[in-house]
Amino acid sequence: MKKLMLALLLLLSCSLANGQLLWRVSGNGCYESSYLFGTLHLESGEFIDSVPGLALAIESVDVIFGEVEGEDMVSMSTMMQMMKDATAPADSTLDKLLTAEDYELVDAVVKKYLYGFGLKELGVLKPVALTTYLGLMQMQKFYPNSLDPKNLIDVAIQQRGKQLGKRVEGLERVEDQTQALFGAPLREQAKELVDLCRKDDKFADSSRELCEAYRAQDLTALEKIVFDPEVGMDDASMDRMSYDRNRKWMEKIAGTIPVQRVLVAVGAAHLIGEQGLISLLRSRGYTVEPVLTQ
């Protein structure tokens, strides 16, 4: 489960890089052109207009699919449910999962990023919740205006679509996301949290590289980071966090693109790999190619 922060929520020539986040889907009975777009969940909505062809794609489609519907993502009930799901059982809090040495290490790193708050205040959280928070804090160094829930790119794409009269739907429920994020065994989560803290500088560098690759719109560089054996995701994590969900999503996507034009805007990690959405669509006979611009 190598570093979910790199899942939260992924250099060639300029012309190729400009097209690597946005992909056109056509052929095999596809109703005109549909599109795939890879997001980085911390990126702001302003980034939409930095991607050549994305605004036009939003205007041209009939339906926009996000991972979940935007209003569900930021609702108070969702926030409360996520806090509940992020809380560890009383017999499995971090003081019970970690050795004294590892507890001290994690406490120091948490305090470093979370303004002096340590495990005394946050030790009731599941390890993966702390891993995610630490990743967010690292990435916020490079996205200083991030974490505005009303202006994150996934929400902004859906909002722009709604303003244009497009139908907007989620490919899954918020409950599906929280299960994927928080569902790994707690001892496995704890091991990954300790690993993150031991390699704090390395993961901070990877966060910077991830942000730079995304801003360069370079899916190839993002894929290299996601699959890096030291800081990326292992096979089990990729299957749970991405591939399992991709396979479920494909039924809805493949059932819609023959009859309507669709924009699928999901985390960029869902596009890559042998069971990424690009490969899954190609395996069904669709042509999937980057939207290239000069």
Side-chain angles (χ1 to χ4, degrees), residues 44-61:
S44 71
E46 282 76 15
F47 191 70
I48 293 172
D49 296 311
S50 300
V51 182
L54 179 56
L56 182 60
I58 296 172
E59 293 175 9
S60 70
V61 299

Side-chain angles (χ1 to χ4, degrees), residues 21 43 67 76 87 93 122 126 158 206 231 236 257 294:
L21 296 178
E43 182 59 86
E67 293 185 25
M76 183 59 67
T87 302
T93 50
L122 301 172
K126 291 180 180 178
Q158 294 185 23
S206 295
V231 297
I257 57 178
Q294 297 299 326

Side-chain angles (χ1 to χ4, degrees), residues 1 10 27 155 173 236:
M1 189 182 66
L10 289 64
V155 176
R173 303 169 302 166

Side-chain angles (χ1 to χ4, degrees), residues 68-86 173-178 182:
V68 297
E69 202 277 325
E71 292 182 3
D72 290 342
M73 282 191 280
V74 298
S75 72
M76 183 59 67
S77 61
T78 293
M79 301 301 178
M80 293 177 63
Q81 183 61 48
M82 289 191 71
M83 281 304 302
K84 180 180 178 181
D85 292 338
R173 303 169 302 166
V174 173
E175 293 86 344
D176 300 320
Q177 283 198 330
T178 56
F182 298 119

Side-chain angles (χ1 to χ4, degrees), residues 159-282:
Q159 288 176 339
R160 186 174 295 197
K162 287 181 178 179
Q163 291 168 359
L164 293 169
K166 314 300 181 179
R167 190 172 94 245
V168 174
E169 294 184 14
L171 290 165
E172 63 186 6
R173 303 169 302 166
V174 173
E175 293 86 344
D176 300 320
Q177 283 198 330
T178 56
Q179 177 57 36
L181 180 60
F182 298 119
L186 290 176
R187 292 201 175 276
E188 180 181 334
Q189 293 182 26
K191 181 178 181 297
E192 293 299 328
L193 175 61
V194 171
D195 189 37
L196 173 103
C197 292
R198 285 176 178 162
K199 301 176 181 177
D200 177 44
D201 290 341
K202 173 66 175 175
F203 286 112
D205 287 342
S206 295
S207 293
R208 174 183 52 78
E209 292 168 3
L210 187 74
C211 295
E212 291 173 352
Y214 192 79
R215 287 285 175 90
Q217 302 177 39
D218 186 349
L219 192 63
T220 301
L222 291 170
E223 183 169 5
K224 182 178 179 181
I225 296 168
V226 169
F227 288 111
D228 185 306
E230 187 172 4
V231 297
M233 297 175 69
D234 61 20
D235 291 343
S237 294
M238 197 67 184
D239 207 43
R240 187 183 71 258
M241 291 296 298
S242 184
Y243 291 162
D244 279 349
R245 296 163 69 198
N246 289 350
R247 289 188 288 266
K248 294 173 183 176
W249 296 350
M250 272 301 302
E251 299 311 310
K252 189 167 188 175
I253 296 169
T256 307
I257 57 178
V259 294
Q260 290 186 299
R261 297 164 295 187
V262 176
L263 169 64
V264 178
V266 295
H270 290 284
L271 272 57
I272 62 177
E274 61 183 12
Q275 295 182 68
L277 293 177
I278 292 172
S279 294
L280 291 177
L281 282 164
R282 285 173 173 168

